[in-house]
Amino acid sequence: MFGDLFEEDYPSVPYNQYGKGKKLKTKALEPPAPREFTNLSGIRNQGGTCYLNSLLQTLHFTPEFREALFSLGPEELGSLEDKDNPDAKVRIIPLQLQRLFAQLLLLDQEAASTADLTDSFGWTSNEEMRQHDVQELNRILFSALETSLVGTSGHDLINRLYHGTIVNQIVCKECKNVSEKQEDFLDLTVAVKNVSGLEEALWNMYVEEEVFDCDNLYHCGTCDRLVKAAKSAKLRKLPPFLTVSLLRFNFDFVKCERYKETSCYTFPLRINLKPFCEQSELDDMDYTYDLFSVIVHKGGCYGGHYHVYIKDVDRLGNWQFQEKKSKSDVNLKDRQNEGEIDDPLMILKAILLQEESNLIPVDQLGQKLLKKIGISWNKKYRKQHGPLRKFLELHSQLFLLSSDGSTVSLLKNCSLQAELSFQRNDPEVFKTLTSESPGLNDRTSCPHWFDINDSKVQPIQEKDIEQQFQGKESAYMLFYRKSQLQRPPEARANPRYRVPCHLLNEMDAANIELQRKRAEYDSTNNDFELHLHVGPHYHFFNGALHPVSQTESVWDLTFDKRKTLGDLRQSVFQLLDFWEGDMVLSIAKCLPAGLHVYQTLDGDDLTLCEMEIADEEDIFVWNGVEVGGIQIPTGSDCEPLLLNVLHLATRGEGEKCQQLTESPQVFPSNAEVGSVFTALAIPVGAIFLSSTECTNEGWTAIPQEDWRKTFREQGLTNGSLVLIQDSSNSNNSLLTKEGEWITTVNETNWIQVKNLCQSESEEEHVKIPATANTVVFDIRIKAIKELKLMKELAENSCLRPIDRDGKLLCPVPDNCTLKEAELRMGSSLGLCPGKAPTSSQLFLFFAVGSDIQPGTEMEIIVEETITVRDCLKIMLEKSGLPGDTWHLRKMDWCYEAGEPLCEEKS
């Protein structure tokens, strides 16, 4: 299946060509996430490499294999720095495996990458995205490693750890001659179908005898004739590590298809292989194996997903029962809520006791406290004990802060005393708080199992393995280790054990670089800009705040949004060293009218992120009452509006004219509309609003009973146009006699009608005088007369609006007024043949095809009650299209078709 995916030595092809055809790997801006609470690293899936990840994690958690690989130095394997040198002998696969294992042990990231390793295999993006069989991968990877290690001290690494021997024997019943054949195995492949479990499968393979008799006799070489005989197999040599492959996938010869065997198949956590071995005179412990890895396959025979259950032999990870952990966390939070854990000293000491050398950055200490008790320092302790760093400084008899205040540790002479007193005072809380530390809470009798699923690592209980006995998600490969294999005490919870110095240095440098990148990324993503508007450098006039000096009134401040409002206030105090008295910080906003103050920021314990303060926020710094002796209105209710006010002007004494004067005016949004007369100091008259910002559009009068409504209630916004007419200008009123409609300021009072009928006319278009209440029928008849067209058109024509692009819109019903048809004075209408639709009819545009362009539409008039199917028939008849495979889609304004109209009977 894999072909030559693991070919390593190509004398004529340089290594830099191995990756030819690989997919581009874009560098992520965000640095890799740190390890989670298990303190173990997963492996990122490259698209279809879950089977590879599961096998690599099994090898990584085989300490004897890992350390044997680490024992091979650069003098034997070469160096990755020389991989492009054709004269250097570089054994790339074992070097990349070494590097990957070092990353899994020491690099502080949630998941390691196998990109460099698969590159060393010569894999392309096709192999990385295609899933293979993990059992076959296991054999081929070991074969590639053996080939790569030829000529080194590790040439027998695979043979020493994984190779075993099986002997097949045939015993003649006549002469007792024994014919035997020995074969090596890398893994034992056992049947699953019609077998209850691993022990039964091994019994069938290595205890049960196959008898040759009757029609199935055996030819004995010694007797030189067909005789009765018995065939059997035994395990002759057992390896330190036993790999068992389960034949989950079978072929159904009746259905001619593959299938996955999902029946129950048990396997023990500890197995004694003595009954299956040729030699049985040794002690039972020489035949006893412990399960330490289960590769699980989820899915069917044509695809699925692999993950692995692994026993942490060296106790490298933080593990505990999930139920107990959950119960402990709940108990701790319940006790905290009840006021039983109010002493921050006890909590902080417990956290520091878990750390190696009892040393931790102060920022991480706060995060770990939040994780432990479910509430931050600021919310729980700050009010009573002050900031965390200050609290640590005040308790210097227990805590030792670094010179720059960035890290903290427990004083050595009181670390042990703190631990003992803590256990004595509250052993249950101590057990809960230190449950993640193998050094403090070490339960040797309970094995530590983890479920490693690509990038994610979760602790599980040993009994969870039973869930993988059967089903679509079930065990696929089993890995056992001899029970006699003991790990040295110095390897316990020590990920640096026997890692080569050059890899230790590389990982230490990589961790420092990761910390730098995370700090840089953290700063980039958590720092934001605030614009501080300093109150003493502002003055209040015309309804808003305005700066006295641009250079001194606004200060830009870069600040961490994870800090609290109290921290911000302190920073502003330090920045504005001239400030005296109380300081109030308020959210402000720059409006067209000027700066306006909204709500005051409250709650010094809250972070800026919790207060939802945004980047580029404007903050007004003042005393909270007045600016320059003037009391400042605040809040969204009195937000100032900048309105453009127009009114009729006079050219001279007593001379009236239609010239408009426009002036910007600021009003509070909660002020009454009638206050404009007071503000402009003109007699009470009439108020008109424009629906747009253009002065050549229509106006609407505000009834006098609505003058007590506010500007906001009337829907006015910044830039709205307001026309004021005082009572002395009644003769020059822009209103019609009806009092509800005015034309434009230029007093346009006509509609233009274009001749779009086939009949010839001396005139192409005419202007028909009209008002807002003129009926469309009257305009049409007048247009026919003035265009000198045939009288027959009076019964078979209609008026259609023409938009700015020259497109004809839907016909306007004859019985509508211009106002009802929403037609403005000066609009252009087309006189077209055909009647306008009635109130029970629809006028539809339609076009044929998927690439619809403006101007290609056709038109029909149908009844509102017509079905989609009948409407489609009419459209097909009009367009002359045959067939019954057409369907309708609704088009939007930009000629894009939507979903098909499927309900044909609707």
Side-chain angles (χ1 to χ4, degrees), residues 772-791:
N773 295 319
T774 302
V775 180
V776 173
F777 174 82
D778 295 335
I779 296 176
R780 185 167 65 84
I781 298 302
K782 288 180 182 178
I784 293 173
K785 290 181 180 178
E786 293 194 20
L787 290 169
K788 299 178 181 178
L789 298 175
M790 295 182 296
K791 293 183 179 179

Side-chain angles (χ1 to χ4, degrees), residues 161-362:
L161 296 180
Y162 294 95
H163 277 161
T165 305
I166 298 174
V167 58
N168 295 291
Q169 296 178 339
I170 300 179
V171 180
C172 176
K173 296 292 187 179
E174 301 291 335
C175 66
K176 306 303 180 182
N177 179 60
V178 178
S179 174
E180 69 177 37
K181 180 182 178 181
Q182 181 174 298
E183 61 182 60
D184 295 335
F185 68 86
L186 186 67
D187 64 309
L188 296 179
T189 302
V190 298
V192 174
K193 185 178 180 181
N194 300 325
V195 180
S196 63
L198 178 61
E199 291 99 330
E200 182 182 348
L202 293 175
W203 185 273
N204 294 339
M205 293 170 64
Y206 302 115
V207 176
E208 294 284 348
E209 291 184 340
E210 181 183 356
V211 178
F212 298 100
D213 59 1
C214 299
D215 295 334
N216 185 29
L217 296 174
Y218 167 73
H219 183 272
C220 176
T222 304
C223 300
D224 196 22
R225 62 189 175 86
L226 295 174
V227 297
K228 293 182 179 182
K231 181 182 178 182
S232 63
K234 290 290 184 181
L235 297 172
R236 173 167 286 180
K237 174 182 173 292
L238 293 175
F241 297 92
L242 180 67
T243 304
V244 181
S245 298
L246 307 184
L247 287 176
R248 286 280 184 189
F249 299 124
N250 289 301
F251 189 82
D252 188 329
F253 288 96
V254 177
K255 297 181 179 179
C256 291
E257 63 181 14
R258 295 180 69 209
Y259 69 96
K260 181 178 179 181
E261 187 64 57
T262 59
S263 59
C264 182
Y265 189 90
T266 63
F267 47 88
L269 296 172
R270 170 169 286 192
I271 187 170
N272 189 339
L273 298 180
K274 189 172 184 177
F276 317 118
C277 292
E278 183 183 35
Q279 306 293 332
S280 58
E281 64 274 6
L282 300 177
D283 187 76
D284 279 1
M285 287 305 294
D286 292 313
Y287 305 98
T288 306
Y289 284 77
D290 292 325
L291 183 70
F292 77 97
S293 177
V294 181
I295 292 182
V296 179
H297 179 264
K298 179 181 181 181
C301 57
Y302 297 107
H305 178 69
Y306 290 96
H307 62 106
V308 61
Y309 286 178
I310 283 183
K311 182 179 179 180
D312 184 10
V313 177
D314 280 346
R315 306 293 176 93
L316 300 175
N318 291 328
W319 176 91
Q320 60 187 14
F321 287 110
Q322 292 297 292
E323 291 180 1
K324 288 190 176 181
K325 176 184 175 183
S326 175
K327 190 180 294 184
S328 299
D329 285 348
V330 171
N331 288 342
L332 179 59
K333 289 178 183 178
D334 288 343
R335 295 181 65 175
Q336 184 267 328
N337 291 335
E338 294 169 7
E340 295 183 13
I341 301 182
D342 285 327
D343 185 5
L345 282 175
M346 184 169 62
I347 307 296
L348 295 176
K349 284 189 291 185
I351 294 172
L352 287 169
L353 284 171
Q354 299 175 56
E355 300 301 317
E356 186 177 354
S357 303
N358 295 330
L359 181 67
I360 187 175
V362 175

Side-chain angles (χ1 to χ4, degrees), residues 715-727:
L716 273 75
T717 59
N718 286 299
S720 293
L721 286 171
V722 180
L723 177 61
I724 305 300
Q725 181 174 303
D726 63 55
S727 56

Side-chain angles (χ1 to χ4, degrees), residues 425-436:
N425 293 337
D426 207 332
E428 289 301 318
V429 176
F430 178 79
K431 181 179 179 181
T432 301
L433 291 172
T434 59
S435 58
E436 291 183 3

Side-chain angles (χ1 to χ4, degrees), residues 114 119 150 172 190 206 248 309 317 377 436 456 521 540 564 629 636 641 663 683 713 812 825 844 865:
T114 56
D119 284 351
V150 170
C172 176
V190 298
Y206 302 115
R248 286 280 184 189
Y309 286 178
W377 174 274
E436 291 183 3
K456 298 299 180 183
Y521 178 82
F540 185 83
T564 65
S636 57
L641 295 177
S663 62
E713 290 171 341
V812 181
M825 294 301 167
L844 302 177
T865 56

